[in-house]
Short mmCIF file of all heavy atoms in Angstrom, two decimals:
data_model
loop_
_atom_site.label_atom_id
_atom_site.label_comp_id
_atom_site.label_asym_id
_atom_site.label_seq_id
_atom_site.Cartn_x
_atom_site.Cartn_y
_atom_site.Cartn_z
N PHE A 214 14.57 -7.94 -14.16
CA PHE A 214 14.47 -8.53 -12.85
C PHE A 214 15.02 -9.99 -12.82
O PHE A 214 15.61 -10.41 -11.97
CB PHE A 214 13.06 -8.44 -12.24
CG PHE A 214 12.83 -7.09 -11.55
CD1 PHE A 214 12.99 -5.83 -12.22
CD2 PHE A 214 12.41 -7.09 -10.32
CE1 PHE A 214 12.69 -4.68 -11.60
CE2 PHE A 214 12.15 -5.84 -9.59
CZ PHE A 214 12.29 -4.77 -10.31
N PHE A 219 16.39 -11.21 -9.29
CA PHE A 219 15.27 -10.81 -8.40
C PHE A 219 13.98 -11.79 -8.70
O PHE A 219 13.30 -11.41 -9.42
CB PHE A 219 14.91 -9.48 -8.66
CG PHE A 219 15.83 -8.47 -7.97
CD1 PHE A 219 15.79 -7.09 -8.00
CD2 PHE A 219 16.95 -8.90 -7.09
CE1 PHE A 219 16.56 -6.19 -7.47
CE2 PHE A 219 17.79 -8.04 -6.59
CZ PHE A 219 17.71 -6.66 -6.59
N ASP A 220 13.90 -12.88 -7.99
CA ASP A 220 12.76 -13.73 -8.05
C ASP A 220 11.58 -12.96 -7.41
O ASP A 220 11.90 -12.15 -6.41
CB ASP A 220 12.97 -15.07 -7.33
CG ASP A 220 14.00 -15.86 -8.03
OD1 ASP A 220 14.28 -15.82 -9.21
OD2 ASP A 220 14.75 -16.76 -7.34
N THR A 222 7.63 -12.92 -5.62
CA THR A 222 6.46 -13.51 -5.27
C THR A 222 5.33 -12.95 -5.92
O THR A 222 5.38 -11.82 -6.64
CB THR A 222 6.23 -13.30 -3.70
OG1 THR A 222 6.02 -11.91 -3.52
CG2 THR A 222 7.44 -13.66 -2.85
N GLY A 224 2.83 -11.33 -4.88
CA GLY A 224 2.62 -10.00 -4.24
C GLY A 224 3.54 -8.97 -4.83
O GLY A 224 3.19 -7.84 -5.11
N GLN A 225 4.85 -9.30 -4.88
CA GLN A 225 5.86 -8.51 -5.55
C GLN A 225 5.63 -8.21 -6.89
O GLN A 225 5.91 -7.08 -7.46
CB GLN A 225 7.28 -8.96 -5.26
CG GLN A 225 7.73 -9.10 -3.81
CD GLN A 225 9.08 -9.84 -3.65
OE1 GLN A 225 9.36 -10.80 -4.46
NE2 GLN A 225 9.76 -9.54 -2.52
N LEU A 226 5.20 -9.18 -7.67
CA LEU A 226 4.90 -9.14 -9.12
C LEU A 226 3.80 -8.08 -9.36
O LEU A 226 3.90 -7.17 -10.30
CB LEU A 226 4.45 -10.39 -9.66
CG LEU A 226 4.45 -10.47 -11.18
CD1 LEU A 226 5.89 -10.52 -11.76
CD2 LEU A 226 3.66 -11.87 -11.63
N LEU A 228 2.89 -5.61 -7.43
CA LEU A 228 3.42 -4.25 -7.06
C LEU A 228 4.28 -3.73 -8.18
O LEU A 228 4.21 -2.45 -8.47
CB LEU A 228 4.25 -4.23 -5.80
CG LEU A 228 3.43 -4.51 -4.51
CD1 LEU A 228 4.40 -4.58 -3.28
CD2 LEU A 228 2.47 -3.33 -4.30
N ARG A 229 5.08 -4.50 -8.81
CA ARG A 229 5.86 -4.06 -10.00
C ARG A 229 4.95 -3.58 -11.25
O ARG A 229 5.24 -2.62 -11.89
CB ARG A 229 6.92 -5.14 -10.38
CG ARG A 229 7.70 -4.65 -11.62
CD ARG A 229 8.88 -5.59 -11.79
NE ARG A 229 8.61 -6.97 -12.21
CZ ARG A 229 8.23 -7.42 -13.35
NH1 ARG A 229 8.12 -6.53 -14.43
NH2 ARG A 229 7.90 -8.71 -13.48
N PRO A 266 3.44 -0.08 3.07
CA PRO A 266 4.71 -0.35 2.45
C PRO A 266 4.64 -0.59 0.95
O PRO A 266 5.53 -0.16 0.18
CB PRO A 266 5.24 -1.66 3.10
CG PRO A 266 4.48 -1.62 4.49
CD PRO A 266 3.11 -1.02 4.23
N GLY A 267 3.56 -1.14 0.44
CA GLY A 267 3.27 -1.32 -1.05
C GLY A 267 3.19 0.00 -1.70
O GLY A 267 3.73 0.25 -2.73
N ALA A 269 4.41 2.83 -0.62
CA ALA A 269 5.78 3.42 -0.60
C ALA A 269 6.66 2.85 -1.64
O ALA A 269 7.39 3.62 -2.31
CB ALA A 269 6.35 3.18 0.77
N PHE A 270 6.53 1.55 -1.90
CA PHE A 270 7.34 0.88 -3.01
C PHE A 270 6.99 1.59 -4.36
O PHE A 270 7.95 1.97 -5.08
CB PHE A 270 7.08 -0.64 -3.01
CG PHE A 270 7.71 -1.25 -4.18
CD1 PHE A 270 9.06 -1.61 -4.14
CD2 PHE A 270 6.93 -1.60 -5.38
CE1 PHE A 270 9.67 -2.35 -5.28
CE2 PHE A 270 7.52 -2.17 -6.39
CZ PHE A 270 8.91 -2.57 -6.33
N ILE A 271 5.65 1.65 -4.66
CA ILE A 271 5.33 2.19 -6.00
C ILE A 271 5.61 3.63 -6.03
O ILE A 271 6.14 4.10 -7.05
CB ILE A 271 3.91 1.95 -6.10
CG1 ILE A 271 3.47 0.45 -6.21
CG2 ILE A 271 3.41 2.63 -7.47
CD1 ILE A 271 1.93 0.25 -6.24
N LEU A 273 7.98 5.35 -4.44
CA LEU A 273 9.40 5.54 -4.44
C LEU A 273 10.02 5.18 -5.82
O LEU A 273 10.98 5.80 -6.36
CB LEU A 273 10.17 4.76 -3.44
CG LEU A 273 9.98 5.26 -2.01
CD1 LEU A 273 10.67 4.40 -1.01
CD2 LEU A 273 10.72 6.69 -1.94
N SER A 274 9.43 4.11 -6.51
CA SER A 274 9.94 3.74 -7.78
C SER A 274 9.75 4.81 -8.84
O SER A 274 10.59 5.11 -9.70
CB SER A 274 9.26 2.40 -8.38
OG SER A 274 7.90 2.56 -8.60
N PHE A 277 12.20 7.77 -8.10
CA PHE A 277 13.56 7.48 -8.63
C PHE A 277 13.49 7.61 -10.12
O PHE A 277 14.50 8.02 -10.65
CB PHE A 277 14.01 6.06 -8.30
CG PHE A 277 14.33 5.83 -6.78
CD1 PHE A 277 13.73 4.80 -6.12
CD2 PHE A 277 15.11 6.83 -6.12
CE1 PHE A 277 14.02 4.60 -4.78
CE2 PHE A 277 15.39 6.57 -4.73
CZ PHE A 277 14.87 5.44 -4.18
N LEU A 295 8.96 1.86 3.98
CA LEU A 295 9.56 0.78 3.32
C LEU A 295 10.82 0.35 4.00
O LEU A 295 11.89 0.74 3.56
CB LEU A 295 9.82 1.15 1.79
CG LEU A 295 10.01 0.01 0.86
CD1 LEU A 295 8.85 -0.93 0.79
CD2 LEU A 295 10.30 0.50 -0.56
N THR A 296 10.70 -0.46 4.98
CA THR A 296 11.84 -0.79 5.87
C THR A 296 12.51 -2.02 5.37
O THR A 296 13.67 -2.26 5.78
CB THR A 296 11.32 -1.07 7.28
OG1 THR A 296 10.38 -2.10 7.22
CG2 THR A 296 10.76 0.18 7.97
N ASP A 297 11.92 -2.72 4.35
CA ASP A 297 12.58 -3.99 3.82
C ASP A 297 13.59 -3.61 2.81
O ASP A 297 13.41 -2.95 1.84
CB ASP A 297 11.57 -4.86 3.17
CG ASP A 297 12.09 -6.11 2.74
OD1 ASP A 297 13.16 -6.15 2.08
OD2 ASP A 297 11.39 -7.22 2.83
N GLU A 298 14.81 -3.83 3.17
CA GLU A 298 16.03 -3.31 2.29
C GLU A 298 15.92 -3.94 0.91
O GLU A 298 16.28 -3.22 -0.06
CB GLU A 298 17.37 -3.67 2.92
CG GLU A 298 17.62 -2.77 4.17
CD GLU A 298 17.70 -1.28 3.84
OE1 GLU A 298 18.08 -0.90 2.75
OE2 GLU A 298 17.20 -0.49 4.71
N ASP A 299 15.50 -5.22 0.80
CA ASP A 299 15.41 -5.79 -0.52
C ASP A 299 14.36 -5.15 -1.37
O ASP A 299 14.53 -4.81 -2.61
CB ASP A 299 14.95 -7.23 -0.28
CG ASP A 299 14.73 -7.97 -1.69
OD1 ASP A 299 15.81 -8.10 -2.52
OD2 ASP A 299 13.62 -8.29 -2.02
N MET A 300 13.24 -4.68 -0.85
CA MET A 300 12.23 -3.95 -1.59
C MET A 300 12.68 -2.56 -1.82
O MET A 300 12.33 -2.01 -3.00
CB MET A 300 10.82 -3.94 -0.68
CG MET A 300 10.23 -5.34 -0.60
SD MET A 300 9.80 -5.97 -2.16
CE MET A 300 8.35 -4.85 -2.79
N ARG A 301 13.43 -1.96 -1.07
CA ARG A 301 13.97 -0.56 -1.35
C ARG A 301 14.86 -0.71 -2.57
O ARG A 301 14.87 0.15 -3.47
CB ARG A 301 14.74 0.05 -0.17
CG ARG A 301 13.88 0.29 1.05
CD ARG A 301 14.68 0.76 2.22
NE ARG A 301 15.29 2.09 2.15
CZ ARG A 301 14.70 3.18 2.70
NH1 ARG A 301 13.59 3.12 3.39
NH2 ARG A 301 15.38 4.27 2.56
N LEU A 302 15.71 -1.83 -2.64
CA LEU A 302 16.63 -1.95 -3.73
C LEU A 302 15.82 -2.16 -5.00
O LEU A 302 16.07 -1.70 -6.10
CB LEU A 302 17.51 -3.15 -3.52
CG LEU A 302 18.57 -3.48 -4.44
CD1 LEU A 302 19.40 -2.32 -4.86
CD2 LEU A 302 19.38 -4.75 -4.16
N ARG A 303 14.72 -3.05 -4.89
CA ARG A 303 13.86 -3.34 -6.10
C ARG A 303 13.29 -1.97 -6.56
O ARG A 303 13.13 -1.79 -7.84
CB ARG A 303 12.85 -4.29 -5.80
CG ARG A 303 13.40 -5.66 -5.51
CD ARG A 303 12.30 -6.67 -4.93
NE ARG A 303 12.84 -7.93 -4.55
CZ ARG A 303 12.69 -9.13 -5.29
NH1 ARG A 303 11.93 -9.03 -6.33
NH2 ARG A 303 13.26 -10.12 -4.92
N ALA A 304 12.77 -1.13 -5.64
CA ALA A 304 12.20 0.16 -6.04
C ALA A 304 13.24 1.04 -6.87
O ALA A 304 12.91 1.70 -7.79
CB ALA A 304 11.68 0.93 -4.84
N ARG A 305 14.45 0.97 -6.32
CA ARG A 305 15.55 1.87 -7.01
C ARG A 305 15.77 1.26 -8.36
O ARG A 305 15.79 2.05 -9.37
CB ARG A 305 16.87 1.82 -6.19
CG ARG A 305 16.78 2.53 -4.87
CD ARG A 305 18.17 2.50 -4.18
NE ARG A 305 18.18 3.07 -3.03
CZ ARG A 305 18.40 4.35 -2.69
NH1 ARG A 305 18.58 5.17 -3.63
NH2 ARG A 305 18.39 4.89 -1.40
N LEU A 306 15.93 -0.07 -8.51
CA LEU A 306 16.12 -0.63 -9.84
C LEU A 306 15.08 -0.28 -10.71
O LEU A 306 15.23 -0.01 -11.87
CB LEU A 306 16.35 -2.11 -9.61
CG LEU A 306 16.53 -2.89 -10.92
CD1 LEU A 306 17.80 -2.53 -11.60
CD2 LEU A 306 16.53 -4.41 -10.59
N LEU A 307 13.84 -0.50 -10.30
CA LEU A 307 12.62 -0.22 -11.19
C LEU A 307 12.65 1.26 -11.62
O LEU A 307 12.43 1.53 -12.81
CB LEU A 307 11.35 -0.56 -10.35
CG LEU A 307 10.12 -0.74 -11.11
CD1 LEU A 307 10.27 -1.83 -12.23
CD2 LEU A 307 8.89 -1.17 -10.31
#
Side-chain angles (χ1 to χ4, degrees):
F214 272 58
F219 280 177
D220 295 331
T222 65
Q225 291 170 334
L226 190 72
L228 287 179
R229 177 167 63 84
F270 173 84
I271 297 174
L273 285 174
S274 69
F277 292 131
L295 194 60
T296 57
D297 187 317
E298 289 300 323
D299 176 68
M300 290 300 289
R301 291 172 76 97
L302 181 59
R303 289 169 187 256
R305 288 185 189 274
L306 177 63
L307 199 55

